[in-house]
Amino acid sequence: MQSTVVDTGESGWTAAVRQRRGALLQRLASACAVALVVTPMVGVWFSLSWVVLYIACQGVELVVFGPVARGDKGEMSTARKVVGCIALAVSATVFGGLSLVMWQTGGPLGGVCAALMLPAIMLSSMMTAARCQPMMIASLAPQMLYLLTTPFFAHLFGAPAPLVMTSAATVVLYVFYVVITWQRMSETTTSLIRAHAEAQDLRLKAERSLADHTAFLAAVGHDLRTPIGAILTGAAELRAPDPQSRASANLITDAGVMMKALLDDLLDHTRIGAGRMTVEVSDFDLRQMLAQTLQLWRGLADAKGLRLRVEGAAFVPRQVKGDVMRIRQVLNNLMSNAMKFTEEGQITLRVQAWPEEPSGYALLFEIADTGPGMTTDQLARLFTPFDQTADGVSARYGGSGLGLAISRNLIDLMGGRLTVRSAPGQGSRFTVSLILPKGEDAEPIAEIVEESRLDIARSLAHFTPAVQAVVTPAPAPTPEPVAAEAEAEPDHADDQPLRLLVVDDHDINRRAVQLILQPLGCEITTAADGLIALERCDEAVFDVIFMDVRMPELDGRETTRRLRAGSGPNASTPVVAVTADTAPEDVAACQAAGMAYFVSKPLTPTALIGALQHVLNDTAAQARTEAA
């Protein structure tokens, strides 16, 4: 977390010296201009000598105040302050002394020029000596004395007594004005500095609070995934014969999926607020993604008696580059919103595409429904987090009010726009516009299961481990549970049980994995932390290791690194990362540690068995390659 801290302890001396140092070139330029102006009056040699003398005085100032101007720490010594004031007074005396010469050589007209020059010099000195009274006195006192000679010179040149008295009063009033102005300017500057410091302090506190809040939510989210995963796993394994028990299991599953969706939305909202949300760019099949999205919602549409239509999908490009998971998340959020509020009629997904130079496509996704529509006030509040635009919406339809806000932020991150048009009684139309580059050879997108994006296992693409036997996984379709069970068993031709090590600091997670995989005939060993896992790896050989990433004492990544660096019997055993942290940097860290696959929490039978099937197929393929 980067921040700029204001040095509220900076003294008036330090501030004034640095401000005066910043105006050095301005003072030198002014001296040269004045010398040029008075040359016809005082002569070239005098003007040149005066400029050289004034520059020398400025050089003395640089020497005296040099350490402070360079930003050296510490308070100025008393001796340096005294010498500095003397240097300022000499410099002001030299500059203002020119006014006496102007009176003597130019007469009354020269005095007028001097009376114009001195106030300008005084204002400049006053501005560069803010908050430091000694510097102000040293730099202004000579100028004031020169200005106070105006009435005497006026009397010397025969001015009437009333005019002399008026000029004297005017000079005194001006000097008083300069002093009062300096005082007010110093007070204002001090107040501004104090206010700026307080604002910076509040900003830093807000950033720390946001960081703490984000860390807290991440920790809570990580811990909540454990019981949610157990709920989903237990419900999936309840294969009761009677309808009442099956209905109860389905109710538990639905509740668990809802809890998981709400948790994901909350964590996404927190990441966006903290500036930690990122989007990935990879090749994918756009038509396949659209087909899978419609497949997900067709069952619900049929159950509600709604028509679900798609227009233009056959004319969009097939291969594009982008963050397929986030694009699908946005479309699912918009489809969910349409399904939620549409009681009859139809929901239409329209897709349009145009070539976009130099090498991309402009894409337009429109989701239109025949729901009740929205008022102008509802539209103004539509993308406000936690605001569902009308009283009773949350109680009637559920949800957190975050889906649309997250969707707009995600589209903004991808450089697109999310807009909406609606009117009461005319339904709503949400439009997503994106520009995506052309894709090359897109890999298949994982099939959408009933939990949609929430339970899709994500592989560690382009993984090149240090240990030869750790394979490079490729993204593969997430299988249905029954199919996975049928394919996982033949991986061991010798009919030996599959030996698995499950490492997780939560007992409920270890029991959930056992509940899912033991029916396949797997022989499962468990470990509560990384140190115990390394001990188990020295005692027996395992076919696959499921490794929790976040663990006390020794986390999953460090455990995997130590396993890979050793020469034990499991140095080349595939390790599947099991974690709730799915950000790109977390995936990259798992890659670097030597993990061969990635499955997100909360665990479900589909994702877990799909991960097991993937690493076993890769291991078998590598063995065949080596044998050939």
Side-chain angles (χ1 to χ4, degrees):
M1 181 173 61
Q2 296 180 346
S3 61
T4 303
V5 180
V6 177
D7 183 8
T8 56
E10 184 179 67
S11 67
W13 273 95
T14 302
V17 167
R18 291 179 180 172
Q19 192 168 6
R20 186 171 177 83
R21 174 63 180 83
L24 175 62
L25 294 179
Q26 179 183 349
R27 291 197 303 277
L28 294 178
S30 299
C32 293
V34 170
L36 184 63
V37 169
V38 301
T39 295
M41 186 186 307
V42 300
V44 175
W45 290 109
F46 183 88
S47 296
L48 185 60
S49 301
W50 177 79
V51 168
V52 171
L53 180 60
Y54 184 74
I55 292 176
C57 293
Q58 297 301 301
V60 173
E61 279 191 44
L62 287 178
V63 173
V64 174
F65 294 129
V68 180
R70 288 192 300 268
D72 291 359
K73 301 291 184 180
E75 182 66 23
M76 289 179 60
S77 64
T78 302
R80 188 177 295 275
K81 292 178 181 178
V82 172
V83 175
C85 285
I86 294 174
L88 289 173
V90 171
S91 179
T93 300
V94 171
F95 201 114
L98 187 61
S99 63
L100 300 180
V101 179
M102 295 169 69
W103 271 107
Q104 292 175 354
T105 58
L109 189 57
V112 171
C113 295
L116 293 175
M117 178 188 71
L118 287 172
I121 300 172
M122 293 172 65
L123 289 174
S124 177
S125 300
M126 176 186 66
M127 294 178 64
T128 56
R131 296 176 58 208
C132 184
Q133 188 176 27
M135 286 186 64
M136 186 274 290
I137 294 174
S139 57
L140 282 182
Q143 318 293 352
M144 292 180 179
L145 293 175
Y146 288 130
L147 192 60
L148 288 172
T149 63
T150 300
F152 299 100
F153 278 107
H155 176 70
L156 183 63
F157 283 98
L163 184 58
V164 171
M165 294 180 62
T166 301
S167 64
T170 303
V171 169
V172 171
L173 285 175
Y174 180 76
V175 170
F176 178 76
Y177 164 79
V178 169
V179 173
I180 294 299
T181 302
W182 175 86
Q183 183 178 1
R184 291 181 178 177
M185 187 174 66
S186 298
E187 292 174 353
T188 301
T189 303
T190 302
S191 298
L192 288 175
I193 292 175
R194 185 182 298 111
H196 184 64
E198 291 175 354
Q200 290 288 76
D201 185 56
L202 290 174
R203 182 180 66 83
L204 291 175
K205 288 181 179 178
E207 289 180 354
R208 286 193 294 267
S209 176
L210 179 60
D212 293 342
H213 178 68
T214 302
F216 171 75
L217 284 180
V220 170
H222 183 274
D223 291 339
L224 283 178
R225 290 176 188 272
T226 295
I228 292 175
I231 291 171
L232 294 175
T233 300
E237 294 299 315
L238 288 177
R239 300 187 179 94
D242 59 292
Q244 182 62 37
S245 297
R246 286 198 301 271
S248 298
N250 291 336
L251 178 62
I252 296 172
T253 300
D254 292 343
V257 171
M258 182 181 297
M259 289 171 63
K260 187 177 177 186
L262 292 174
L263 177 61
D264 280 357
D265 281 348
L266 181 61
L267 293 179
D268 279 350
H269 176 69
T270 303
R271 291 190 192 102
I272 291 171
R276 294 184 62 247
M277 178 64 75
T278 58
V279 293
E280 301 176 354
V281 177
S282 59
D283 295 304
F284 71 95
D285 190 323
L286 178 59
R287 296 185 188 178
Q288 182 188 6
M289 185 272 289
L290 292 173
Q292 292 175 352
T293 301
L294 289 171
Q295 176 189 353
L296 174 67
W297 294 102
R298 193 169 298 281
L300 181 58
D302 292 341
K304 293 189 68 173
L306 301 175
R307 293 190 302 276
L308 183 59
R309 303 182 56 221
V310 59
E311 298 177 0
F315 302 100
V316 299
R318 182 175 294 275
Q319 308 295 342
V320 294
K321 292 179 181 288
D323 193 326
V324 60
M325 187 185 76
R326 294 303 182 184
I327 295 174
R328 188 159 56 188
Q329 177 182 350
V330 171
L331 294 180
N332 281 335
N333 279 336
L334 298 180
M335 291 294 294
S336 174
N337 193 69
M339 289 285 180
K340 181 189 297 185
F341 294 102
T342 304
E343 299 296 337
E344 59 182 12
Q346 68 182 27
I347 297 173
T348 305
L349 171 60
R350 299 185 180 92
V351 189
Q352 294 177 277
W354 302 272
E356 180 73 17
E357 297 298 334
S359 58
Y361 300 100
L363 299 171
L364 199 67
F365 305 91
E366 182 181 80
I367 296 178
D369 62 58
T370 55
M374 289 176 282
T375 64
T376 302
D377 179 65
Q378 290 174 327
L379 287 173
R381 298 157 47 201
L382 186 62
F383 295 99
T384 302
F386 306 106
D387 185 349
Q388 297 200 328
T389 74
D391 295 336
V393 169
S394 180
R396 181 179 178 187
Y397 297 103
S400 62
L402 287 174
L404 291 178
I406 291 172
S407 297
R408 170 167 279 186
N409 284 318
L410 288 175
I411 294 299
D412 288 343
L413 283 174
M414 289 185 271
R417 291 187 63 197
L418 171 58
T419 57
V420 60
R421 291 175 295 168
S422 183
Q426 298 182 18
S428 302
R429 293 188 177 188
F430 289 85
T431 303
V432 176
S433 58
L434 283 173
I435 296 179
L436 299 180
K438 293 180 180 179
E440 297 175 2
D441 294 327
E443 296 171 340
I445 304 172
E447 282 293 325
I448 299 180
V449 294
E450 60 179 347
E451 292 89 354
S452 182
R453 68 177 180 88
L454 302 173
D455 298 314
I456 297 175
R458 300 172 60 197
S459 65
L460 299 173
H462 311 298
F463 171 57
T464 306
V467 181
Q468 182 178 0
V470 181
V471 298
T472 303
T478 303
E480 295 295 329
V482 176
E485 294 181 19
E487 296 178 9
E489 292 181 358
D491 285 336
H492 281 253
D494 55 3
D495 292 329
Q496 293 294 322
L498 198 62
R499 291 158 298 186
L500 307 178
L501 174 62
V502 179
V503 187
D504 199 297
D505 59 318
H506 281 285
D507 177 65
I508 195 171
N509 278 339
R510 300 194 298 271
R511 289 161 52 195
V513 175
Q514 287 179 300
L515 184 63
I516 295 171
L517 298 182
Q518 274 184 342
L520 301 180
C522 299
E523 181 181 294
I524 299 177
T525 302
T526 62
D529 58 51
L531 294 176
I532 299 176
L534 293 176
E535 294 177 3
R536 298 289 181 269
C537 288
D538 290 335
E539 298 169 355
V541 179
F542 299 103
D543 297 296
V544 179
I545 299 173
F546 286 92
M547 182 76 69
D548 185 26
V549 173
R550 279 196 186 188
M551 292 186 294
E553 300 294 335
L554 195 66
D555 66 29
R557 289 192 286 262
E558 180 59 27
T559 303
T560 304
R561 278 191 288 267
R562 295 189 185 185
L563 185 66
R564 296 284 181 250
S567 57
N570 292 285
S572 60
T573 301
V575 177
V576 177
V578 181
T579 183
D581 301 322
T582 58
E585 59 268 21
D586 298 312
V587 175
C590 291
Q591 281 182 296
M595 294 177 168
Y597 203 74
F598 185 100
V599 62
S600 63
K601 289 183 178 180
L603 298 175
T604 61
T606 300
L608 191 62
I609 297 174
L612 180 61
Q613 178 194 7
H614 180 80
V615 294
L616 291 178
N617 288 343
D618 279 352
T619 302
Q622 184 182 18
R624 289 193 296 269
T625 301
E626 292 176 352

